[in-house]
Amino acid sequence: MATRYWIVSLPVQSSPTSLWSRLQESISKNSFDTPLYRFNIPNLRVGTLDSLLALSDDLLKSNSFIEGCSHKIRRQIEDLEKASGILASSLTVDGVPVDSYLTKFVWDEAKYPTMSPLKEIVDGIHVQVAKIDDDLKVRIAEYNNVRSQLNAINRKQTGSLAVRDLSNLVKPEDIVTSEHLVTLIAVVPKYSQKDWLSCYETLTTYVVPRSSKNLHEDNEYALYTVTLFNRDADNFRIKARERGFQIRDFEYNSETQESRKQELEKLMQDQESLKSALLQWCYTSYGEVFTSWMHFCAVRLFAESILRYGLPPSFLSVVLSPSVKSEKKVRTILESLCGSSNSTFWKTEDDGSMGGLGGEADAHPYVSFTINLI
């Protein structure tokens, strides 16, 4: 699928049919690998010259916003599909592939009555896309919030023993809790394990001999228990810290453990549910934004063509997708079909560019702008 298209209008000297035939013939002879299609624009309401000029000032800015929203949703779809392990799908608009919708564009009279003022159509499109853009931000924020909570939990479960959650590493049988005895959890650097085993019994007076047990190790630390009299616990913490051992605060509670497990399961379910809902919403919304964008492009091409070629409307609108190596050749073909006087006026001495209508970056003796699908 091509991802870059030109939407172009050419001034009609005799008839649209003959101009179309000449264009087809020139493209097939000189740039046969360039797909070429008619871009069917209905007879829209022209309005006044002042209204067209005012509209032209807003067209480029609005196009950038709508195009940006389209690309934003497409990127979100790609990210969600990748996160879900789904093969990248071919996006559709009204049930047809995106490129087919563009190259076989048909104006939706029911949604955008052709007798409406052009500004009313453009404003309506902008409002609709802005609403979708706002909705996208809210949905992404909701999804990312759940992802952040899950990531925070996962960091606690996968970080080093100095910071991670210990609840899945310490079992009830590892803990001694009575009126007088308490079990502490020590985080010992791996290189200091011999030091710990040789000294923990004598760090304070009331440590139970041979009570330390290795529970777990990671790349940096080892996790040990130690049982001692409750009244000596604070003193032991101080002495352990002086020797480079960290005593982690930990209290085993079966209800807390179950609550954390349920919280994790709920967050995982919420993430999958939100991810699925967001992906389906993006599929639908991408189609809506792309439809709006193509109708906007039709209005833009119509308005700029009237300002360029004058009244009554007499121009041929087409869609092309030249390869990079064919672009210059296709530009020459299009220019040759514009008439010598028009070409001379728009061509600068150094064959450079002029400021086109609507702020187009590169000017030609015909109306042209680029559609990037991705």
Coordinates of all heavy atoms in Angstrom, one line a residue, residues 88-153:
A88 N -0.2 -6.8 13.0 CA -0.7 -5.5 12.5 C -1.8 -5.7 11.5 O -1.6 -6.4 10.5 CB 0.4 -4.7 11.9
S89 N -2.9 -5.0 11.7 CA -4.1 -5.2 10.8 C -4.1 -4.1 9.8 O -3.4 -3.0 9.9 CB -5.4 -5.1 11.6 OG -5.5 -3.9 12.3
S90 N -4.8 -4.4 8.7 CA -4.9 -3.4 7.6 C -6.1 -2.5 8.0 O -7.2 -3.0 8.1 CB -5.2 -4.1 6.3 OG -5.3 -3.1 5.3
L91 N -5.8 -1.2 8.3 CA -6.9 -0.3 8.7 C -7.9 -0.1 7.6 O -7.6 0.0 6.4 CB -6.3 1.0 9.2 CG -5.5 0.9 10.5 CD1 -4.9 2.3 10.8 CD2 -6.2 0.3 11.6
T92 N -9.2 0.0 8.0 CA -10.2 0.2 7.0 C -11.0 1.5 7.4 O -11.1 1.9 8.5 CB -11.2 -1.0 7.0 OG1 -11.8 -1.1 8.3 CG2 -10.5 -2.2 6.6
V93 N -11.7 2.0 6.4 CA -12.6 3.2 6.5 C -13.9 2.8 5.8 O -13.9 2.5 4.6 CB -12.0 4.4 5.9 CG1 -12.9 5.6 6.1 CG2 -10.6 4.8 6.5
D94 N -14.9 2.8 6.6 CA -16.2 2.4 6.0 C -16.1 1.0 5.4 O -16.7 0.7 4.3 CB -16.8 3.4 5.0 CG -17.2 4.7 5.7 OD1 -17.4 4.7 6.9 OD2 -17.4 5.7 5.0
G95 N -15.3 0.1 6.0 CA -15.3 -1.2 5.5 C -14.3 -1.5 4.3 O -14.2 -2.6 3.9
V96 N -13.6 -0.4 3.9 CA -12.7 -0.6 2.8 C -11.3 -0.2 3.2 O -11.2 0.7 4.1 CB -13.1 0.2 1.5 CG1 -14.4 -0.3 1.0 CG2 -13.1 1.7 1.8
P97 N -10.2 -0.7 2.6 CA -8.8 -0.2 3.0 C -8.7 1.3 2.9 O -9.3 1.9 2.0 CB -7.9 -1.0 2.0 CG -8.7 -2.2 1.6 CD -10.2 -1.8 1.6
V98 N -7.8 1.8 3.7 CA -7.6 3.3 3.7 C -7.2 3.8 2.4 O -7.8 4.8 1.9 CB -6.5 3.6 4.8 CG1 -6.2 5.1 4.7 CG2 -6.9 3.2 6.2
D99 N -6.3 3.2 1.7 CA -5.9 3.7 0.4 C -7.0 3.6 -0.7 O -7.2 4.5 -1.5 CB -4.6 3.0 -0.2 CG -4.8 1.5 -0.2 OD1 -5.7 0.9 0.6 OD2 -4.1 0.8 -1.0
S100 N -7.9 2.6 -0.5 CA -9.0 2.5 -1.5 C -10.0 3.6 -1.2 O -10.6 4.1 -2.2 CB -9.7 1.1 -1.3 OG -8.8 0.1 -1.7
Y101 N -10.2 3.9 0.1 CA -11.2 5.0 0.4 C -10.7 6.3 -0.2 O -11.5 7.1 -0.8 CB -11.3 5.1 1.9 CG -12.3 6.2 2.3 CD1 -13.7 5.9 2.4 CD2 -11.9 7.5 2.5 CE1 -14.6 6.9 2.7 CE2 -12.9 8.5 2.8 CZ -14.2 8.2 2.9 OH -15.1 9.2 3.3
L102 N -9.4 6.5 -0.1 CA -8.8 7.8 -0.7 C -8.9 7.8 -2.2 O -9.4 8.8 -2.8 CB -7.4 7.9 -0.2 CG -6.5 9.0 -0.9 CD1 -7.1 10.4 -0.8 CD2 -5.1 9.0 -0.4
T103 N -8.5 6.7 -2.9 CA -8.4 6.7 -4.3 C -9.8 6.6 -5.0 O -10.0 6.8 -6.2 CB -7.5 5.6 -4.8 OG1 -8.0 4.3 -4.3 CG2 -6.1 5.9 -4.3
K104 N -10.8 6.1 -4.2 CA -12.2 6.0 -4.7 C -13.1 6.9 -3.9 O -14.3 6.5 -3.7 CB -12.6 4.6 -4.7 CG -11.8 3.6 -5.5 CD -12.1 2.2 -5.3 CE -11.2 1.2 -6.1 NZ -11.5 -0.2 -5.9
F105 N -12.7 8.0 -3.5 CA -13.4 8.9 -2.6 C -14.8 9.3 -3.2 O -14.9 9.7 -4.4 CB -12.6 10.2 -2.4 CG -13.3 11.2 -1.6 CD1 -13.6 11.1 -0.2 CD2 -13.8 12.4 -2.2 CE1 -14.2 12.0 0.5 CE2 -14.5 13.3 -1.5 CZ -14.7 13.2 -0.1
V106 N -15.8 9.2 -2.4 CA -17.1 9.6 -2.7 C -17.7 10.6 -1.6 O -17.6 10.2 -0.4 CB -18.1 8.4 -2.9 CG1 -19.5 8.9 -3.2 CG2 -17.6 7.5 -4.0
W107 N -18.1 11.7 -2.0 CA -18.6 12.7 -1.0 C -19.9 12.2 -0.4 O -20.8 11.7 -1.0 CB -18.9 14.0 -1.8 CG -19.3 15.1 -0.8 CD1 -20.6 15.4 -0.4 CD2 -18.5 16.1 -0.2 NE1 -20.6 16.5 0.4 CE2 -19.3 17.0 0.5 CE3 -17.1 16.4 -0.2 CZ2 -18.8 18.0 1.3 CZ3 -16.6 17.4 0.5 CH2 -17.5 18.3 1.2
D108 N -19.9 12.4 1.0 CA -21.1 12.0 1.8 C -22.1 13.1 1.9 O -21.9 14.0 2.8 CB -20.6 11.5 3.1 CG -21.8 10.9 4.0 OD1 -22.9 11.1 3.6 OD2 -21.4 10.2 5.0
E109 N -23.0 13.2 1.0 CA -24.0 14.3 1.0 C -24.8 14.3 2.2 O -25.2 15.4 2.7 CB -24.9 14.1 -0.3 CG -26.0 15.1 -0.4 CD -25.5 16.6 -0.6 OE1 -24.4 16.8 -1.1 OE2 -26.3 17.5 -0.2
A110 N -25.2 13.2 2.8 CA -26.0 13.2 4.0 C -25.3 13.8 5.2 O -25.9 14.5 6.0 CB -26.4 11.7 4.3
K111 N -24.0 13.5 5.3 CA -23.3 14.1 6.4 C -22.8 15.5 6.2 O -22.7 16.3 7.1 CB -22.1 13.1 6.7 CG -21.4 13.4 8.0 CD -20.4 12.3 8.3 CE -19.8 12.4 9.7 NZ -18.8 11.4 10.0
Y112 N -22.5 15.8 4.9 CA -21.9 17.1 4.6 C -22.7 17.7 3.4 O -22.3 17.5 2.3 CB -20.4 17.1 4.3 CG -19.6 16.4 5.4 CD1 -19.1 15.1 5.2 CD2 -19.3 17.1 6.5 CE1 -18.3 14.6 6.2 CE2 -18.5 16.6 7.5 CZ -18.0 15.3 7.4 OH -17.3 14.7 8.3
P113 N -23.9 18.3 3.6 CA -24.7 18.8 2.5 C -23.9 19.8 1.7 O -23.3 20.7 2.2 CB -25.9 19.5 3.2 CG -26.0 18.8 4.5 CD -24.5 18.5 4.9
T114 N -23.9 19.6 0.4 CA -23.1 20.5 -0.5 C -23.6 21.9 -0.6 O -22.8 22.8 -1.0 CB -23.1 19.9 -1.9 OG1 -24.4 19.6 -2.4 CG2 -22.3 18.6 -2.0
M115 N -24.8 22.1 -0.1 CA -25.3 23.5 -0.1 C -24.9 24.3 1.1 O -25.1 25.5 1.2 CB -26.8 23.5 -0.3 CG -27.3 23.1 -1.7 SD -26.5 24.1 -3.0 CE -27.1 25.7 -2.6
S116 N -24.3 23.6 2.1 CA -23.8 24.3 3.3 C -22.6 25.2 2.9 O -21.8 24.8 2.0 CB -23.3 23.3 4.3 OG -24.4 22.5 4.7
P117 N -22.4 26.3 3.6 CA -21.2 27.1 3.4 C -20.0 26.3 3.7 O -20.0 25.5 4.6 CB -21.4 28.3 4.4 CG -22.9 28.3 4.7 CD -23.4 26.9 4.6
L118 N -18.9 26.6 2.9 CA -17.7 25.9 3.1 C -17.1 26.0 4.5 O -16.7 25.0 5.1 CB -16.6 26.4 2.1 CG -16.9 26.1 0.6 CD1 -15.8 26.6 -0.3 CD2 -17.2 24.7 0.3
K119 N -17.2 27.2 5.1 CA -16.7 27.4 6.4 C -17.5 26.6 7.4 O -16.9 26.0 8.4 CB -16.8 28.9 6.8 CG -16.3 29.2 8.2 CD -16.2 30.6 8.5 CE -15.8 30.9 10.0 NZ -14.6 30.1 10.4
E120 N -18.8 26.4 7.2 CA -19.6 25.6 8.1 C -19.2 24.1 8.0 O -19.1 23.4 9.1 CB -21.1 25.7 7.7 CG -22.1 25.0 8.6 CD -23.5 25.2 8.2 OE1 -23.9 26.4 8.1 OE2 -24.2 24.2 8.0
I121 N -18.9 23.6 6.8 CA -18.4 22.3 6.7 C -17.1 22.1 7.4 O -16.9 21.1 8.1 CB -18.3 21.9 5.2 CG1 -19.7 21.9 4.5 CG2 -17.6 20.5 5.0 CD1 -19.6 21.7 3.0
V122 N -16.1 23.0 7.1 CA -14.8 22.9 7.7 C -14.9 23.0 9.3 O -14.2 22.2 10.0 CB -13.9 24.0 7.2 CG1 -12.6 24.1 8.0 CG2 -13.6 23.8 5.7
D123 N -15.7 23.9 9.8 CA -15.8 24.1 11.2 C -16.4 22.8 11.8 O -16.0 22.4 12.9 CB -16.7 25.3 11.6 CG -16.0 26.6 11.3 OD1 -14.8 26.6 11.1 OD2 -16.7 27.7 11.3
G124 N -17.4 22.2 11.1 CA -18.1 21.0 11.6 C -17.1 19.9 11.7 O -17.0 19.1 12.7
I125 N -16.2 19.8 10.7 CA -15.2 18.7 10.7 C -14.2 18.9 11.8 O -13.9 18.0 12.5 CB -14.5 18.7 9.3 CG1 -15.4 18.2 8.2 CG2 -13.2 17.9 9.4 CD1 -14.8 18.3 6.8
H126 N -13.8 20.2 12.0 CA -12.8 20.5 13.0 C -13.4 20.2 14.4 O -12.7 19.6 15.3 CB -12.4 22.0 13.0 CG -11.2 22.3 13.8 ND1 -10.0 22.5 13.2 CD2 -11.1 22.5 15.1 CE1 -9.1 22.8 14.2 NE2 -9.7 22.8 15.3
V127 N -14.6 20.5 14.7 CA -15.3 20.2 16.0 C -15.4 18.7 16.2 O -15.1 18.2 17.3 CB -16.7 20.9 16.0 CG1 -17.5 20.3 17.2 CG2 -16.6 22.4 16.1
Q128 N -15.7 18.0 15.2 CA -15.9 16.5 15.3 C -14.5 15.9 15.7 O -14.4 15.1 16.6 CB -16.4 15.9 14.0 CG -16.6 14.4 14.1 CD -16.9 13.8 12.8 OE1 -16.7 14.4 11.7 NE2 -17.3 12.5 12.8
V129 N -13.5 16.3 14.9 CA -12.2 15.7 15.1 C -11.6 16.1 16.5 O -11.0 15.3 17.2 CB -11.2 16.1 14.0 CG1 -9.8 15.6 14.3 CG2 -11.7 15.5 12.7
A130 N -11.9 17.4 16.9 CA -11.4 17.9 18.2 C -12.0 17.0 19.3 O -11.4 16.7 20.3 CB -11.7 19.3 18.4
K131 N -13.3 16.7 19.2 CA -14.0 15.9 20.2 C -13.3 14.5 20.3 O -13.1 14.0 21.4 CB -15.5 15.8 19.8 CG -16.3 15.0 20.9 CD -17.7 15.0 20.5 CE -18.6 14.3 21.6 NZ -18.1 12.9 21.9
I132 N -13.0 13.9 19.1 CA -12.4 12.6 19.1 C -11.0 12.7 19.7 O -10.6 11.8 20.5 CB -12.3 12.1 17.7 CG1 -13.7 11.7 17.2 CG2 -11.4 10.8 17.6 CD1 -13.8 11.3 15.7
D133 N -10.3 13.8 19.4 CA -8.9 14.0 20.0 C -9.0 14.1 21.5 O -8.1 13.5 22.2 CB -8.3 15.2 19.3 CG -6.8 15.4 19.7 OD1 -6.1 14.5 19.3 OD2 -6.4 16.4 20.3
D134 N -9.9 14.8 22.0 CA -10.1 15.0 23.5 C -10.4 13.6 24.1 O -9.9 13.3 25.2 CB -11.2 16.0 23.8 CG -10.8 17.4 23.5 OD1 -9.5 17.7 23.4 OD2 -11.6 18.3 23.3
D135 N -11.3 12.9 23.4 CA -11.8 11.6 23.9 C -10.6 10.6 24.0 O -10.4 9.9 24.9 CB -12.9 11.0 23.1 CG -13.7 9.9 23.8 OD1 -13.4 9.7 24.9 OD2 -14.6 9.4 23.1
L136 N -9.7 10.7 22.9 CA -8.5 9.9 22.9 C -7.6 10.1 24.1 O -7.1 9.2 24.7 CB -7.8 10.1 21.6 CG -6.4 9.4 21.4 CD1 -6.6 7.9 21.4 CD2 -5.7 9.9 20.1
K137 N -7.4 11.4 24.4 CA -6.5 11.8 25.5 C -7.1 11.2 26.8 O -6.3 10.7 27.7 CB -6.4 13.3 25.6 CG -5.7 14.0 24.5 CD -5.8 15.5 24.6 CE -5.1 16.1 23.4 NZ -5.3 17.6 23.4
V138 N -8.4 11.3 27.0 CA -9.0 10.8 28.3 C -8.8 9.3 28.4 O -8.5 8.7 29.4 CB -10.5 11.1 28.3 CG1 -11.2 10.4 29.5 CG2 -10.7 12.7 28.5
R139 N -9.1 8.6 27.2 CA -9.0 7.1 27.2 C -7.6 6.6 27.4 O -7.3 5.7 28.1 CB -9.6 6.6 25.9 CG -11.1 6.7 25.8 CD -11.6 6.3 24.4 NE -13.0 6.4 24.3 CZ -13.9 5.5 24.6 NH1 -13.4 4.3 24.9 NH2 -15.2 5.6 24.5
I140 N -6.6 7.3 26.8 CA -5.2 6.9 27.0 C -4.8 7.2 28.4 O -4.0 6.3 29.0 CB -4.3 7.7 26.0 CG1 -4.6 7.2 24.5 CG2 -2.9 7.6 26.3 CD1 -3.8 8.0 23.5
A141 N -5.2 8.3 29.0 CA -4.8 8.6 30.4 C -5.4 7.5 31.3 O -4.6 7.1 32.2 CB -5.3 10.0 30.8
E142 N -6.6 7.1 31.1 CA -7.2 6.0 31.9 C -6.4 4.7 31.8 O -6.1 4.1 32.8 CB -8.7 5.9 31.5 CG -9.4 4.9 32.4 CD -10.9 4.8 32.0 OE1 -11.2 5.2 30.9 OE2 -11.7 4.2 32.8
Y143 N -6.1 4.4 30.6 CA -5.3 3.1 30.3 C -3.9 3.2 30.9 O -3.5 2.3 31.6 CB -5.3 2.9 28.8 CG -4.3 1.8 28.4 CD1 -4.6 0.5 28.8 CD2 -3.3 2.0 27.5 CE1 -3.7 -0.6 28.4 CE2 -2.4 1.0 27.1 CZ -2.7 -0.3 27.6 OH -1.8 -1.3 27.2
N144 N -3.3 4.4 30.7 CA -1.9 4.5 31.2 C -1.8 4.5 32.8 O -0.9 4.1 33.4 CB -1.3 5.8 30.7 CG -0.9 5.6 29.2 OD1 -0.7 4.5 28.7 ND2 -0.7 6.8 28.5
N145 N -2.9 5.0 33.4 CA -3.0 5.1 34.8 C -2.9 3.6 35.4 O -2.2 3.3 36.4 CB -4.3 5.8 35.3 CG -4.4 5.8 36.8 OD1 -3.4 6.2 37.5 ND2 -5.5 5.5 37.3
V146 N -3.7 2.7 34.8 CA -3.7 1.3 35.2 C -2.4 0.7 34.9 O -1.9 -0.1 35.8 CB -4.9 0.6 34.5 CG1 -4.8 -0.9 34.8 CG2 -6.2 1.1 35.0
R147 N -1.8 1.0 33.8 CA -0.5 0.4 33.4 C 0.6 0.9 34.4 O 1.4 0.1 34.8 CB -0.1 0.9 32.0 CG -0.8 0.2 30.9 CD -0.3 0.7 29.6 NE 1.2 0.4 29.4 CZ 2.0 0.9 28.5 NH1 1.5 1.9 27.8 NH2 3.2 0.6 28.4
S148 N 0.5 2.2 34.8 CA 1.5 2.7 35.8 C 1.3 2.0 37.2 O 2.4 1.7 37.8 CB 1.3 4.2 36.0 OG 1.5 4.9 34.8
Q149 N 0.1 1.7 37.6 CA -0.1 1.0 38.9 C 0.5 -0.4 38.8 O 1.1 -0.9 39.7 CB -1.6 1.0 39.2 CG -2.2 2.3 39.5 CD -3.7 2.2 39.9 OE1 -4.1 1.5 40.8 NE2 -4.5 2.8 39.1
L150 N 0.2 -1.1 37.6 CA 0.8 -2.4 37.5 C 2.3 -2.4 37.4 O 2.9 -3.3 38.0 CB 0.2 -3.0 36.2 CG -1.0 -3.9 36.3 CD1 -1.5 -4.4 34.9 CD2 -0.7 -5.1 37.2
N151 N 2.8 -1.4 36.7 CA 4.3 -1.3 36.6 C 4.9 -1.1 38.0 O 6.0 -1.7 38.3 CB 4.7 -0.2 35.6 CG 4.4 -0.6 34.2 OD1 4.3 -1.7 33.8 ND2 4.3 0.4 33.3
A152 N 4.2 -0.3 38.8 CA 4.8 0.0 40.1 C 4.8 -1.3 41.0 O 5.7 -1.6 41.7 CB 3.9 1.0 40.8
I153 N 3.7 -2.1 40.8 CA 3.6 -3.4 41.6 C 4.7 -4.3 41.0 O 5.4 -5.0 41.8 CB 2.2 -4.0 41.4 CG1 1.2 -3.2 42.2 CG2 2.2 -5.5 41.9 CD1 -0.2 -3.6 42.0

